[in-house]
Amino acid sequence: MSRTLNIKNKYLKKLFLKESLISSEQIRIIRSNIEREMTDIARPCFMVTSPNADDQRSLIAGKLAASFAEKGRRVLIVDANLRKPVLHQWFNLSNDYGLTTMLQQSVKEVSFVKRTVFPDLFLLTAGCERINLFHQEVMKGFELWMKQWKREYDAIILETPPFLKYYDGQMLANQADGVIVVVKEHKTKIEDAVQTRNSLERANKKILGVIYQTV
């Protein structure tokens, strides 16, 4: 029988979050931990991912983005989960166009970033077009947009698909200054969590912390 992730797992630094109550106060504590880890980066970009799909990754990413915007920082959250985008639902916005629309443009000029109900918080939904993120020109386009976003926003958050299930997250990690990993008690296998950690460390990606969801 596969072992589940243990609260005493010495390999991962955890930020605890009760699954039943994702409170604003808990999110603020997590934000403060992230800020302490990234004091040397003026306009940070970090990625929120998970080993598998048994989590509330998108909700947590959205709440983290809102928490950063609370402090008066101009924040962009990007739904880079092209496999199963849901951030537009949390923010009650259309997904008719978004990241995939921008990446298919021949000229990288038109932005489809949307305002949210939160002051200083902006969302780039995934978009509904099919796109091959692994195509060299597509990734080059993403890198160009990243440079522009870093000029326009104080913080950027990328929400990605499950890290071990799809290669998208491993590619997008190269664009991030650090990574937050979301795991769930009794759902995330310890070997999956360790494999995710090892992959990120091999890529020299800083793990800012692990949000450990308890039942």
Side-chain angles (χ1 to χ4, degrees):
M1 182 182 293
S2 298
R3 292 178 297 168
T4 56
L5 189 63
N6 190 297
I7 194 170
K8 295 181 180 178
N9 176 12
K10 65 180 180 180
Y11 296 109
L12 295 172
K13 177 171 49 179
K14 301 176 193 65
L15 306 171
F16 293 92
L17 186 70
K18 290 183 179 179
E19 180 182 359
S20 59
L21 181 62
I22 305 177
S23 72
S24 296
E25 187 57 34
Q26 288 174 309
I27 288 291
R28 289 188 191 105
I29 292 170
I30 293 166
R31 181 200 67 204
S32 296
N33 289 339
I34 294 170
E35 288 175 329
R36 281 195 295 271
E37 291 287 337
M38 305 191 81
T39 53
D40 57 333
I41 301 174
R43 293 175 178 243
C45 170
F46 65 88
M47 185 176 90
V48 179
T49 191
S50 60
N52 45 53
D54 294 321
D55 53 63
Q56 293 177 304
R57 182 185 59 250
S58 59
L59 175 59
I60 291 167
K63 280 184 164 281
L64 273 173
S67 183
F68 275 98
E70 254 183 11
K71 295 188 70 177
R73 302 180 76 171
R74 187 176 167 88
V75 180
L76 173 66
I77 181 168
V78 179
D79 193 342
N81 183 359
L82 305 185
R83 309 290 179 164
K84 191 177 179 181
V86 295
L87 274 174
H88 63 283
Q89 296 174 4
W90 291 119
F91 288 96
N92 196 27
L93 292 170
S94 167
N95 191 40
D96 293 343
Y97 53 83
L99 176 61
T100 55
T101 319
M102 291 168 65
L103 293 177
Q104 287 182 331
Q105 293 176 143
S106 56
V107 180
K108 310 301 179 189
E109 291 181 352
V110 181
S111 172
F112 292 100
V113 171
K114 301 176 176 72
R115 286 184 173 273
T116 71
V117 294
F118 300 92
D120 297 318
L121 177 56
F122 300 82
L123 169 66
L124 178 58
T125 59
C128 58
E129 291 89 349
R130 288 185 174 274
I131 196 168
N132 181 5
L133 194 59
F134 309 128
H135 194 283
Q136 186 176 1
E137 287 303 312
V138 172
M139 209 57 215
K140 184 179 177 181
F142 188 89
E143 291 170 3
L144 290 173
W145 278 114
M146 276 294 300
K147 290 178 182 178
Q148 181 170 325
W149 295 335
K150 285 206 169 190
R151 291 192 296 267
E152 296 179 1
Y153 299 96
D154 299 317
I156 302 164
I157 299 174
L158 307 176
E159 195 259 310
T160 71
F163 193 82
L164 298 180
K165 188 173 182 180
Y166 302 107
Y167 191 59
D168 306 36
Q170 298 178 47
M171 289 186 64
L172 291 168
N174 294 326
Q175 306 298 319
D177 300 306
V179 181
I180 290 287
V181 182
V182 180
V183 297
K184 180 182 283 189
E185 188 177 39
H186 304 312
K187 291 285 188 178
T188 305
K189 298 174 183 176
I190 190 169
E191 52 264 39
D192 289 345
V194 172
Q195 185 180 345
T196 300
R197 180 210 64 179
N198 291 343
S199 296
L200 290 167
E201 287 184 347
R202 282 195 298 270
N204 293 318
K205 287 293 127 184
K206 185 174 186 177
I207 300 177
L208 301 172
V210 174
I211 294 179
Y212 186 88
Q213 296 176 277
T214 58
V215 177

